[in-house]
Amino acid sequence: MLQQVPGFRISRIRSPWQRGGAVCLGGVLLSLLMFAGCGGDAEPAGEQGAAAPADSNPSLSDQVAALAAARQAEADGQDPSASAPTAAPDPPSVAEQTAGTFQLPADATPSQLLEALEKIDRQIQRVATQQTEFDTPEKIQAEIKRLATVKLQAASRLAAMASLPPEMLKLSKRGKLQALSHLVALGDVASTPELKQFAEQLSQSSDPTLAVESRLVMIGFAMEQLQVSNDPQPVVDLVEQLANNAEVLGMPALMTMGQARSGLQQYGYSAAARQVRQQMVRAFEGHPDPNIRAMAEDLASAERFDVLDSLRRDLEQQRTVTPAQWQSEAANLVRRGADLGALRYLSQAALHFEVTGMKEFAKVTYETIRNGFADTEDPELRNEQQIILATHNARQQIIGKTLEVDLPDTTGAPYDYSSLRGKVVLMPFWAAEHPESISVFRLLESIRDKYPNQVALLGVNVDLDEASLIQFEREIRLDWPSLRSPDPLQQGIENPLAMQTGVTSFPFVVLIDQQGKVRKVFLTNVGIEAATEKLLQASTPES
């Protein structure tokens, strides 16, 4: 049976050489929750760097003003530090990043309300990636719902103010649409009629951003309507309207189009699914962001994966599917087109099988990757195939072996790894560029705090861009060390420890016993605490 892993999301990391299910209303709204913000054009969460500064830190405008003043003083021949304010306190730890202080003053000005919208967006991102005190799904959902309610209040109060500048009025409308979307996505049924009415109203806006974001919501409603009607045309029409505003389309629109195509295919509307695919290709073929353009190409070709998707759904529903059936269809996929899209699909499927303990399905998928792409002459395809196979092999081979650790910490200072001998070590690989990798920190810290004399944390930073690490460490204080290669060509999966352990996705945590041997590799946070406690119990002498 294909198990559902809570929170499992494959987040690929790349080497320095590589830089550059049926849709429903809830799925669309969660896309908005992940990607949208009121402070300007949002970017994908996985592409952002560190979290925004804590509320006690200076605002971005304050920091820019201070930097400008320092540069002006330096240009005038003065000592920039002479007039500088006193040093800011140490950045807060992950546990200290709390959202409990977000409240709206009764007499808030338009500027204060707009600032509140921006802060709430940042805090929702922190809460969603477990960078706050909220460390269970129930607490996280409750806090995001509270923040969304405050956001709705701020947006509504801002919109009701007289003589707002056009840009501020636009941001108030975006804030209201997004806040209602957050609430409905989190199960607030009472907000559904208001969201539907407001989205329909904004869809007629002359502002392309407002029109696009409202139509994303309307696609979710149209897909839900398909469960009681037999007409997919409203979905196709809405997607076409989105494609006509290609200049303002971003990740939320791409994900929504992809979900719509997949959903229409599942419901049996193949012709409508093809029309959505064609609109997706038209909308994103010239997109300025190469990552979004590449993802659009992958999603547009997703119809090739419908048979394998169907087999995976059968596994989820405990229907009989054999490894041989899966391997046969995987081989058919490769025969029809051995390209990057097919390789990445099979790689993600293999990782999921690996994580959920379906060893035979993982084995035959990796065999298909090895044999099906053996004759490729495309250097990029060959390189990615070799990385997939090498990292999988490393994860298998490292179990029971001792890690070779000879890296400094993130400050460049030498680190004595032997000082941890005698303790169980939890080693998370992380990058500020990938919030998914940071979301496991709270769990690991709670295990360490439960067994402070027996468990130690030692991270490995694999940010491709050191600036992301520097920004993160300015804003969040970790009370445990992390290692980082000083060689700029040894970042990402090229990090020596990442190569030894087979890092290819996030989260990624290595469990090391008291003798320094690797006992287990985790590609999700599920099972880490139980495995750690089992290791501790095994080393405790019986009384």
Side-chain angles (χ1 to χ4, degrees):
M1 178 181 71
L2 182 61
Q3 305 171 40
Q4 293 291 335
V5 180
F8 178 69
R9 174 184 173 190
I10 294 174
S11 172
R12 290 279 177 192
I13 62 174
R14 294 172 285 176
S15 87
W17 306 107
Q18 294 174 293
R19 292 177 189 258
V23 72
C24 63
L25 178 61
V28 171
L29 300 185
L30 286 173
S31 294
L32 286 174
L33 177 62
M34 288 297 295
F35 299 119
C38 294
D41 294 332
E43 294 182 9
E47 296 296 328
Q48 293 176 348
D55 301 322
S56 58
N57 289 350
S59 68
L60 180 60
S61 59
D62 291 337
Q63 296 175 58
V64 172
L67 179 59
R71 287 179 176 170
Q72 183 61 48
E74 189 173 9
D76 293 340
Q78 302 172 14
D79 179 3
S81 63
S83 60
T86 56
D90 288 339
S93 67
V94 172
E96 293 167 339
Q97 296 263 4
T98 175
T101 59
F102 274 97
Q103 301 293 340
L104 290 177
D107 57 349
T109 65
S111 296
Q112 288 174 326
L113 290 172
L114 186 58
E115 184 179 2
L117 290 175
E118 295 172 351
K119 284 186 175 181
I120 291 169
D121 285 333
R122 294 197 297 265
Q123 193 64 15
I124 286 176
Q125 180 68 24
R126 289 180 189 150
V127 175
T129 54
Q130 291 185 280
Q131 297 178 47
T132 68
E133 62 185 12
F134 305 102
D135 55 359
T136 67
E138 294 77 17
K139 291 179 181 178
I140 289 170
Q141 179 168 326
E143 179 58 15
I144 292 179
K145 191 171 183 179
R146 187 189 76 82
L147 287 168
T149 301
V150 177
K151 180 177 178 178
L152 178 59
Q153 294 169 356
S156 298
R157 284 171 56 181
L158 183 60
M161 291 181 172
S163 303
L164 281 182
E167 184 62 23
M168 194 172 286
L169 181 61
K170 169 184 172 179
L171 292 175
S172 72
K173 292 178 179 179
R174 290 188 72 193
K176 181 177 179 179
L177 181 71
Q178 292 159 8
L180 286 169
S181 298
H182 300 344
L183 291 171
V184 173
L186 294 170
D188 186 351
V189 178
S191 297
T192 300
E194 184 178 3
L195 173 61
K196 186 173 183 180
Q197 181 181 10
F198 192 58
E200 290 174 348
Q201 174 188 333
L202 287 189
S203 69
Q204 304 304 315
S205 172
S206 59
D207 183 286
T209 301
L210 292 176
V212 163
E213 291 187 359
S214 61
R215 285 166 184 155
L216 298 182
V217 174
M218 291 174 65
I219 287 175
F221 282 115
M223 289 301 298
E224 284 212 331
Q225 186 63 26
L226 274 181
Q227 299 178 31
V228 294
S229 72
N230 296 312
D231 183 13
Q233 194 57 43
V235 178
V236 176
D237 290 343
L238 285 166
V239 169
E240 184 176 3
Q241 291 169 19
L242 283 182
N244 291 336
N245 288 283
E247 68 279 1
V248 295
L249 297 185
M251 189 63 72
L254 173 59
M255 299 304 295
T256 300
M257 286 182 176
Q259 291 173 11
R261 191 216 68 82
S262 176
L264 289 168
Q265 186 67 42
Q266 283 188 40
Y267 290 152
Y269 300 109
S270 299
R274 284 194 296 272
Q275 286 179 276
V276 168
R277 176 189 175 279
Q278 291 166 1
Q279 296 297 338
M280 194 186 328
V281 170
R282 177 170 73 89
F284 289 95
E285 60 184 355
H287 199 280
D289 187 327
N291 291 322
I292 292 181
R293 193 166 61 245
M295 188 175 293
E297 292 172 357
D298 287 346
L299 286 175
S301 64
E303 61 185 345
R304 296 185 295 164
F305 312 128
D306 287 340
V307 173
L308 290 176
D309 283 342
S310 177
L311 290 178
R312 294 175 74 172
R313 287 194 296 274
D314 287 344
L315 286 169
E316 291 170 6
Q317 296 169 15
Q318 302 185 44
R319 297 171 183 157
T320 301
V321 177
T322 67
Q325 285 177 288
W326 171 265
Q327 186 174 28
S328 174
E329 292 299 338
N332 287 337
L333 170 69
V334 176
R335 277 193 291 272
R336 289 193 296 268
D339 55 19
L340 277 173
L343 178 62
R344 290 171 180 170
Y345 180 92
L346 292 176
S347 172
Q348 292 192 0
L351 272 178
H352 199 106
F353 292 143
E354 192 177 333
V355 168
T356 53
M358 302 183 68
K359 295 182 179 179
E360 287 302 313
F361 282 88
K363 178 183 176 182
V364 298
T365 306
Y366 282 116
E367 285 177 359
T368 303
I369 291 172
R370 178 181 296 105
N371 300 330
F373 298 87
D375 298 328
T376 181
E377 297 181 359
D378 183 329
E380 182 182 5
L381 189 60
R382 171 57 60 85
N383 180 60
E384 189 154 334
Q385 179 222 29
Q386 291 178 345
I387 289 173
I388 292 167
L389 295 175
T391 52
H392 172 249
N393 184 62
R395 290 192 295 276
Q396 310 307 305
Q397 298 299 318
I398 196 61
I399 303 301
K401 305 286 180 60
T402 301
L403 281 180
E404 297 178 14
V405 180
D406 185 23
L407 292 176
D409 64 22
T410 55
T411 70
Y415 185 81
D416 182 12
Y417 177 63
S418 64
S419 66
L420 299 180
R421 191 59 60 91
K423 288 188 174 184
V424 171
V425 178
L426 290 168
M427 180 179 283
F429 286 74
W430 65 278
E433 298 160 346
H434 290 265
E436 299 92 332
S437 66
I438 298 169
S439 65
V440 76
F441 287 180
R442 288 280 298 153
L443 170 65
L444 301 182
E445 289 173 357
S446 69
I447 298 172
R448 186 272 317 271
D449 294 345
K450 190 175 180 180
Y451 305 100
N453 299 318
Q454 299 167 278
V455 175
L457 300 184
L458 178 63
V460 181
N461 178 263
V462 293
D463 274 301
L464 293 177
D465 186 353
E466 189 175 14
S468 298
L469 167 65
I470 293 171
Q471 179 72 5
F472 179 88
E473 291 188 329
R474 283 179 185 154
E475 298 167 355
I476 297 180
R477 184 183 71 254
L478 299 178
D479 61 0
W480 39 274
S482 286
L483 308 179
R484 179 176 171 85
S485 173
D487 187 341
L489 295 181
Q490 290 186 344
Q491 307 309 327
I493 59 174
E494 305 291 344
N495 177 287
L497 288 173
M499 295 182 71
Q500 287 184 59
T501 54
V503 177
T504 190
S505 64
F506 290 124
F508 192 97
V509 179
V510 177
L511 176 64
I512 303 169
D513 68 15
Q514 296 90 330
Q515 289 72 47
K517 292 183 178 180
V518 174
R519 288 302 179 187
K520 198 160 186 179
V521 170
F522 295 90
L523 284 79
T524 175
N525 58 7
V526 176
I528 297 177
E529 184 169 10
T532 302
E533 292 180 339
K534 184 177 180 181
L535 199 55
L536 292 172
Q537 292 166 3
S539 63
T540 303
E542 296 184 4
S543 56

